[in-house]
Amino acid sequence: MKKLYFLLPFLFLACKSNTSTVSEKSSHSDSKPVVVNYKVEESEVSDFLKYLSSDELEGRETGTKGIEKAAVFLEDFFKKNHIKPYFKTYRDTLTNFKSPAYNIVGVLEGTDPVLKNEYVVLSAHYDHIGVEKKQQPDQIYNGANDDASGVTAVAQIAKYFSKTKSNKRSILFVFFAGEEKGLLGSKSMAPKLKAKNFNLYTQLNIEMIGVPMKRDYLAYITGFDKSNMAEKINEYTGKKTIGFLPKEAEYKLFYRSDNYSFFEAFGKPCQSLSTFDFENFDFYHHVSDEFKVMDIPHITAFVQELLPAVTRISESPTQEITMNK
């Protein structure tokens, strides 16, 4: 997540999936949640997140050798799962950073001849803040929660769609660079897509989902009242998946992650999901944000619960998620 130092000084005190089909109850009634017969495997979640947040990647700071290793890892993941590059290659070069830096972008074309012309964007940022310059026992900001956890979730959703081929709309899977330096990856990419008349339906960005909240809902959404996305996700899952977090509104988190760049460019529902609630994680932008403090069963359950929602978003005959007046 883009720096919150000035808002949150207190924070510094401190795999193999089973392929199967997607089915839905007999009709697309508003009261009928989507049923997904697919199991997200904890081992795959664990292996993916463990590497992406490992010391080998040296904190994944944009423009470094560490994030280059992460980029290759993500490209290989797309290739392995038969997800094609959206641009000429998987790499979308940032136009606003002094040294070479890349968003990693893959696409799965929709299966419906009409709906495939509309796009859903599923995204997370794969950069973090690198290595501490002053000497100390641990100098690497591994960024397991921020945002290797979100990247892991998007990757598992990408694998799900690559196996089930259940998306009638086309889906763009985007791993942004430069988020920690001011949303640079999304600020570079969103206008580029807008200039190409990219037909965006909605964007769902995933940010810091590595540990659970002690609340009666699974996650919160940024900009809760800007669209009906929270309501529709809960309808699609048949659960209280998304709730309202007052701190999110207080700190204006809608404007602090890569969803905002797309909202600015397209004026469509573009929002972020998170389970970091300012009470459940003491290591924001801290060297202790490591794999060992991540809750793998929670991340796995988060992805599993979200699958019905992203399925419905990708297949609904009309654009059911809309901006509020």
Side-chain angles (χ1 to χ4, degrees):
M1 185 178 285
K2 187 184 173 187
K3 290 181 180 178
L4 290 169
Y5 291 126
F6 72 100
L7 293 172
L8 303 173
F10 62 90
L11 287 178
F12 294 94
L13 301 174
C15 317
K16 182 178 180 181
S17 294
N18 295 327
T19 304
S20 59
T21 60
V22 175
S23 63
E24 190 166 340
K25 294 183 180 181
S26 58
S27 70
H28 288 304
S29 166
D30 285 352
S31 62
K32 303 278 189 180
V34 178
V35 177
V36 170
N37 299 313
Y38 178 96
K39 188 173 185 292
V40 182
E41 296 292 344
E42 278 190 20
S43 60
E44 291 204 353
V45 170
S46 179
D47 291 347
F48 191 101
L49 179 55
K50 188 173 187 178
Y51 179 74
L52 199 58
S53 59
S54 66
D55 284 355
E56 181 183 340
L57 274 56
E58 299 179 313
R60 307 187 309 277
E61 184 175 4
T62 300
T64 65
K65 292 180 180 178
I67 199 172
E68 169 62 21
K69 289 182 179 180
V72 171
F73 173 70
L74 295 171
E75 289 173 308
D76 288 345
F77 175 83
F78 278 153
K79 290 173 188 174
K80 180 180 177 182
N81 288 281
H82 309 291
I83 297 168
K84 296 179 180 179
Y86 178 74
F87 299 103
K88 289 183 179 179
T89 72
Y90 291 112
R91 299 191 177 208
D92 168 47
T93 304
L94 271 62
T95 58
N96 50 9
F97 191 70
K98 59 185 181 296
S99 58
Y102 313 96
N103 299 318
I104 305 300
V105 187
V107 64
L108 277 176
E109 185 178 24
T111 59
D112 184 273
V114 176
L115 289 178
K116 72 177 183 180
N117 298 311
E118 299 175 5
Y119 283 83
V120 174
V121 173
L122 299 176
S123 61
H125 72 91
Y126 76 110
D127 67 307
H128 197 51
I129 59 175
V131 178
E132 175 59 55
K133 304 258 186 313
K134 66 182 180 184
Q135 288 296 317
Q136 57 187 45
D138 184 0
Q139 293 178 268
I140 297 175
Y141 293 96
N142 300 85
N145 198 19
D146 186 11
D147 188 27
S149 65
V151 173
T152 300
V154 171
Q156 290 303 311
I157 295 169
K159 180 170 185 177
Y160 158 74
F161 280 114
S162 76
K163 295 291 186 184
T164 62
K165 305 292 191 296
S166 56
N167 57 303
K168 293 183 179 181
R169 289 184 174 86
S170 297
I171 304 179
L172 214 61
F173 301 101
V174 187
F175 301 124
F176 292 113
E179 193 269 1
E180 299 285 8
K181 297 184 180 295
L183 313 183
L184 296 184
S186 55
K187 285 181 177 178
S188 171
M189 185 176 170
K192 192 181 302 183
L193 293 178
K194 181 69 173 177
K196 294 178 55 154
N197 295 316
F198 183 78
N199 188 5
L200 177 67
Y201 168 26
T202 191
Q203 178 198 19
L204 193 57
N205 188 62
I206 302 180
E207 176 83 63
M208 296 182 69
I209 50 93
V211 292
M213 304 182 292
K214 293 179 180 178
R215 300 181 185 272
D216 65 350
Y217 51 87
L218 176 67
Y220 65 89
I221 198 166
T222 64
F224 183 92
D225 61 352
K226 293 186 181 299
S227 80
N228 66 346
M229 188 182 288
E231 174 191 343
K232 299 308 283 187
I233 289 175
N234 290 344
E235 176 186 309
Y236 300 157
T237 62
K239 299 179 179 180
K240 195 170 181 181
T241 300
I242 307 298
F244 172 68
L245 184 75
K247 286 281 188 185
E248 181 279 318
E250 179 183 346
Y251 292 138
K252 302 183 186 303
L253 298 187
F254 175 78
Y255 304 95
R256 303 198 62 82
S257 195
D258 291 306
N259 61 282
Y260 183 62
S261 304
F262 276 69
F263 172 76
E264 268 198 314
F266 292 93
K268 297 290 186 73
C270 299
Q271 291 162 274
S272 293
L273 295 185
S274 181
T275 67
F276 166 64
D277 68 355
F278 306 88
E279 298 172 9
N280 61 351
F281 190 69
D282 294 330
F283 305 125
Y284 170 74
H285 282 199
H286 192 286
V287 292
S288 294
D289 180 4
E290 296 185 345
F291 174 78
K292 66 184 179 183
V293 297
M294 294 294 93
D295 188 324
I296 299 302
H298 160 70
I299 299 171
T300 305
F302 173 94
V303 178
Q304 190 74 55
E305 187 163 328
L306 201 59
L307 290 184
V310 292
T311 299
R312 179 63 174 167
I313 289 169
S314 75
E315 70 171 13
S316 61
T318 61
Q319 295 188 0
E320 298 178 349
I321 296 175
T322 57
M323 297 298 298
N324 290 333
K325 300 291 187 183

